PDB file of all heavy atoms in Angstrom:
ATOM      1  N   VAL P 375      -6.112  15.318 -18.623  1.00  0.00           N
ATOM      2  CA  VAL P 375      -7.127  16.073 -17.894  1.00  0.00           C
ATOM      3  C   VAL P 375      -8.467  15.541 -18.263  1.00  0.00           C
ATOM      4  O   VAL P 375      -8.706  15.004 -19.349  1.00  0.00           O
ATOM      5  CB  VAL P 375      -7.014  17.589 -18.223  1.00  0.00           C
ATOM      6  CG1 VAL P 375      -5.794  18.201 -17.697  1.00  0.00           C
ATOM      7  CG2 VAL P 375      -7.210  17.892 -19.632  1.00  0.00           C
ATOM      8  N   GLY P 376      -9.400  15.724 -17.367  1.00  0.00           N
ATOM      9  CA  GLY P 376     -10.792  15.373 -17.602  1.00  0.00           C
ATOM     10  C   GLY P 376     -11.643  16.620 -17.646  1.00  0.00           C
ATOM     11  O   GLY P 376     -11.387  17.594 -16.948  1.00  0.00           O
ATOM     12  N   TYR P 377     -12.731  16.594 -18.465  1.00  0.00           N
ATOM     13  CA  TYR P 377     -13.675  17.657 -18.500  1.00  0.00           C
ATOM     14  C   TYR P 377     -15.074  17.098 -18.348  1.00  0.00           C
ATOM     15  O   TYR P 377     -15.467  16.098 -19.005  1.00  0.00           O
ATOM     16  CB  TYR P 377     -13.623  18.306 -19.942  1.00  0.00           C
ATOM     17  CG  TYR P 377     -12.393  19.036 -20.285  1.00  0.00           C
ATOM     18  CD1 TYR P 377     -11.338  18.305 -20.934  1.00  0.00           C
ATOM     19  CD2 TYR P 377     -12.194  20.319 -20.009  1.00  0.00           C
ATOM     20  CE1 TYR P 377     -10.149  19.007 -21.241  1.00  0.00           C
ATOM     21  CE2 TYR P 377     -11.033  21.027 -20.351  1.00  0.00           C
ATOM     22  CZ  TYR P 377     -10.031  20.350 -20.955  1.00  0.00           C
ATOM     23  OH  TYR P 377      -8.820  20.996 -21.311  1.00  0.00           O
ATOM     24  N   VAL P 378     -15.823  17.684 -17.386  1.00  0.00           N
ATOM     25  CA  VAL P 378     -17.176  17.212 -17.131  1.00  0.00           C
ATOM     26  C   VAL P 378     -18.061  17.842 -18.238  1.00  0.00           C
ATOM     27  O   VAL P 378     -17.925  19.040 -18.515  1.00  0.00           O
ATOM     28  CB  VAL P 378     -17.619  17.624 -15.766  1.00  0.00           C
ATOM     29  CG1 VAL P 378     -19.085  17.297 -15.562  1.00  0.00           C
ATOM     30  CG2 VAL P 378     -16.787  16.976 -14.658  1.00  0.00           C
ATOM     31  N   TRP P 379     -18.959  17.085 -18.795  1.00  0.00           N
ATOM     32  CA  TRP P 379     -19.860  17.588 -19.840  1.00  0.00           C
ATOM     33  C   TRP P 379     -21.276  17.218 -19.432  1.00  0.00           C
ATOM     34  O   TRP P 379     -21.519  16.234 -18.771  1.00  0.00           O
ATOM     35  CB  TRP P 379     -19.523  17.113 -21.237  1.00  0.00           C
ATOM     36  CG  TRP P 379     -19.480  15.618 -21.354  1.00  0.00           C
ATOM     37  CD1 TRP P 379     -18.463  14.795 -21.302  1.00  0.00           C
ATOM     38  CD2 TRP P 379     -20.637  14.792 -21.636  1.00  0.00           C
ATOM     39  NE1 TRP P 379     -18.824  13.497 -21.447  1.00  0.00           N
ATOM     40  CE2 TRP P 379     -20.179  13.468 -21.682  1.00  0.00           C
ATOM     41  CE3 TRP P 379     -21.984  15.022 -21.856  1.00  0.00           C
ATOM     42  CZ2 TRP P 379     -21.051  12.383 -21.980  1.00  0.00           C
ATOM     43  CZ3 TRP P 379     -22.826  13.972 -22.132  1.00  0.00           C
ATOM     44  CH2 TRP P 379     -22.333  12.645 -22.202  1.00  0.00           C
ATOM     45  N   GLU P 380     -22.210  17.983 -19.997  1.00  0.00           N
ATOM     46  CA  GLU P 380     -23.632  17.658 -19.782  1.00  0.00           C
ATOM     47  C   GLU P 380     -24.319  18.102 -21.059  1.00  0.00           C
ATOM     48  O   GLU P 380     -24.096  19.112 -21.630  1.00  0.00           O
ATOM     49  CB  GLU P 380     -24.208  18.505 -18.623  1.00  0.00           C
ATOM     50  CG  GLU P 380     -25.697  18.182 -18.318  1.00  0.00           C
ATOM     51  CD  GLU P 380     -26.220  18.959 -17.138  1.00  0.00           C
ATOM     52  OE1 GLU P 380     -25.507  19.738 -16.558  1.00  0.00           O
ATOM     53  OE2 GLU P 380     -27.396  18.729 -16.823  1.00  0.00           O
ATOM     54  N   GLN P 381     -25.238  17.164 -21.485  1.00  0.00           N
ATOM     55  CA  GLN P 381     -25.993  17.436 -22.728  1.00  0.00           C
ATOM     56  C   GLN P 381     -27.320  16.684 -22.644  1.00  0.00           C
ATOM     57  O   GLN P 381     -27.345  15.425 -22.432  1.00  0.00           O
ATOM     58  CB  GLN P 381     -25.206  17.000 -23.933  1.00  0.00           C
ATOM     59  CG  GLN P 381     -25.752  17.296 -25.237  1.00  0.00           C
ATOM     60  CD  GLN P 381     -24.839  16.931 -26.438  1.00  0.00           C
ATOM     61  OE1 GLN P 381     -23.932  16.136 -26.259  1.00  0.00           O
ATOM     62  NE2 GLN P 381     -25.089  17.569 -27.543  1.00  0.00           N
ATOM     63  N   ALA P 382     -28.392  17.411 -22.839  1.00  0.00           N
ATOM     64  CA  ALA P 382     -29.725  16.789 -22.865  1.00  0.00           C
ATOM     65  C   ALA P 382     -30.028  15.918 -21.643  1.00  0.00           C
ATOM     66  O   ALA P 382     -30.538  14.796 -21.808  1.00  0.00           O
ATOM     67  CB  ALA P 382     -29.929  15.956 -24.150  1.00  0.00           C
ATOM     68  N   GLY P 383     -29.614  16.377 -20.469  1.00  0.00           N
ATOM     69  CA  GLY P 383     -29.865  15.621 -19.300  1.00  0.00           C
ATOM     70  C   GLY P 383     -28.898  14.514 -18.951  1.00  0.00           C
ATOM     71  O   GLY P 383     -29.026  13.803 -18.022  1.00  0.00           O
ATOM     72  N   ARG P 384     -27.942  14.266 -19.858  1.00  0.00           N
ATOM     73  CA  ARG P 384     -26.904  13.313 -19.593  1.00  0.00           C
ATOM     74  C   ARG P 384     -25.606  14.015 -19.344  1.00  0.00           C
ATOM     75  O   ARG P 384     -25.398  15.114 -19.645  1.00  0.00           O
ATOM     76  CB  ARG P 384     -26.735  12.410 -20.917  1.00  0.00           C
ATOM     77  CG  ARG P 384     -27.990  11.659 -21.301  1.00  0.00           C
ATOM     78  CD  ARG P 384     -27.827  10.862 -22.608  1.00  0.00           C
ATOM     79  NE  ARG P 384     -26.590  10.186 -22.660  1.00  0.00           N
ATOM     80  CZ  ARG P 384     -25.820  10.157 -23.776  1.00  0.00           C
ATOM     81  NH1 ARG P 384     -26.157  10.798 -24.870  1.00  0.00           N
ATOM     82  NH2 ARG P 384     -24.698   9.466 -23.764  1.00  0.00           N
ATOM     83  N   TRP P 385     -24.740  13.281 -18.651  1.00  0.00           N
ATOM     84  CA  TRP P 385     -23.437  13.888 -18.338  1.00  0.00           C
ATOM     85  C   TRP P 385     -22.355  12.795 -18.316  1.00  0.00           C
ATOM     86  O   TRP P 385     -22.646  11.606 -18.264  1.00  0.00           O
ATOM     87  CB  TRP P 385     -23.459  14.645 -16.980  1.00  0.00           C
ATOM     88  CG  TRP P 385     -23.529  13.713 -15.813  1.00  0.00           C
ATOM     89  CD1 TRP P 385     -24.698  13.192 -15.251  1.00  0.00           C
ATOM     90  CD2 TRP P 385     -22.444  13.267 -15.034  1.00  0.00           C
ATOM     91  NE1 TRP P 385     -24.309  12.375 -14.240  1.00  0.00           N
ATOM     92  CE2 TRP P 385     -23.012  12.427 -14.004  1.00  0.00           C
ATOM     93  CE3 TRP P 385     -21.097  13.398 -15.081  1.00  0.00           C
ATOM     94  CZ2 TRP P 385     -22.245  11.759 -13.128  1.00  0.00           C
ATOM     95  CZ3 TRP P 385     -20.285  12.771 -14.184  1.00  0.00           C
ATOM     96  CH2 TRP P 385     -20.865  11.930 -13.233  1.00  0.00           C
ATOM     97  N   GLY P 386     -21.126  13.278 -18.343  1.00  0.00           N
ATOM     98  CA  GLY P 386     -20.016  12.326 -18.343  1.00  0.00           C
ATOM     99  C   GLY P 386     -18.668  13.109 -18.218  1.00  0.00           C
ATOM    100  O   GLY P 386     -18.705  14.302 -17.976  1.00  0.00           O
ATOM    101  N   ILE P 387     -17.615  12.389 -18.437  1.00  0.00           N
ATOM    102  CA  ILE P 387     -16.308  12.990 -18.353  1.00  0.00           C
ATOM    103  C   ILE P 387     -15.550  12.678 -19.601  1.00  0.00           C
ATOM    104  O   ILE P 387     -15.468  11.509 -20.031  1.00  0.00           O
ATOM    105  CB  ILE P 387     -15.483  12.562 -17.136  1.00  0.00           C
ATOM    106  CG1 ILE P 387     -16.220  12.923 -15.872  1.00  0.00           C
ATOM    107  CG2 ILE P 387     -14.066  13.174 -17.157  1.00  0.00           C
ATOM    108  CD1 ILE P 387     -15.521  12.321 -14.606  1.00  0.00           C
ATOM    109  N   SER P 388     -15.075  13.705 -20.319  1.00  0.00           N
ATOM    110  CA  SER P 388     -14.262  13.381 -21.503  1.00  0.00           C
ATOM    111  C   SER P 388     -12.729  13.713 -21.092  1.00  0.00           C
ATOM    112  O   SER P 388     -12.518  14.495 -20.211  1.00  0.00           O
ATOM    113  CB  SER P 388     -14.658  14.308 -22.665  1.00  0.00           C
ATOM    114  OG  SER P 388     -14.531  15.641 -22.338  1.00  0.00           O
TER     115      SER P 388
END
Side-chain angles (χ1 to χ4, degrees):
V375 294
Y377 294 90
V378 177
W379 59 266
E380 183 178 1
Q381 185 175 21
R384 297 176 45 225
W385 71 275
I387 300 173
S388 61

